[in-house]
């Protein structure tokens, strides 16, 4: 949250790239940042491959896009 506060005067949007195995979860991050503006989440399945291993199809790549509300600041 401190990093976001230091950036809000310098940009209109902040994008954070995560996956569904991130801790804290994308929903915890969303709740922490919702006071700064509108949040959009985009998700896409991702085939995670390790050499000589089977596919790991359970990974979901996630983008959290924060559109900063400068009027409310």
């Amino acid at each position: 949250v401190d990093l976001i506060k230091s950036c809000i005067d310098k940009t209109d949007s902040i994008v954070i790239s995560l996956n569904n195995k991130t801790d804290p979860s994308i929903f915890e991050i969303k709740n922490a940042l919702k006071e700064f503006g509108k949040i959009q989440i985009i998700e896409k399945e991702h085939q995670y491959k390790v050499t000589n291993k089977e596919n790991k199809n359970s990974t979901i790549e996630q983008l959290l896009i924060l559109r900063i509300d400068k009027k409310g600041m």
Side-chain angles (χ1 to χ4, degrees):
V1 175
D2 290 336
L3 179 61
I4 301 300
K5 287 179 181 178
S6 68
C7 294
I8 57 175
D9 292 332
K10 300 175 177 114
T11 188
D12 294 326
S13 300
I14 296 173
V15 178
I16 302 172
S17 176
L18 308 146
N19 69 47
N20 61 318
K21 297 175 183 177
T22 302
D23 189 29
S25 73
I26 196 165
F27 299 107
E28 292 169 314
I29 295 170
K30 178 183 176 182
N31 285 334
L33 300 180
K34 65 184 177 184
E35 68 182 274
F36 298 107
K38 183 179 176 185
I39 294 177
Q40 177 184 3
I41 296 174
I42 300 172
E43 296 183 329
K44 182 178 180 183
E45 288 186 16
H46 177 71
Q47 287 188 1
Y48 174 71
K49 296 180 183 179
V50 177
T51 305
N52 297 324
K53 302 275 181 161
E54 63 186 65
N55 289 344
K56 308 281 184 175
N57 291 326
S58 62
T59 302
I60 298 174
E61 293 298 316
Q62 302 169 314
L63 285 180
L64 184 145
I65 304 168
L66 170 62
R67 307 254 187 239
I68 297 171
D69 178 12
K70 296 197 181 207
K71 295 176 190 172
M73 299 290 142

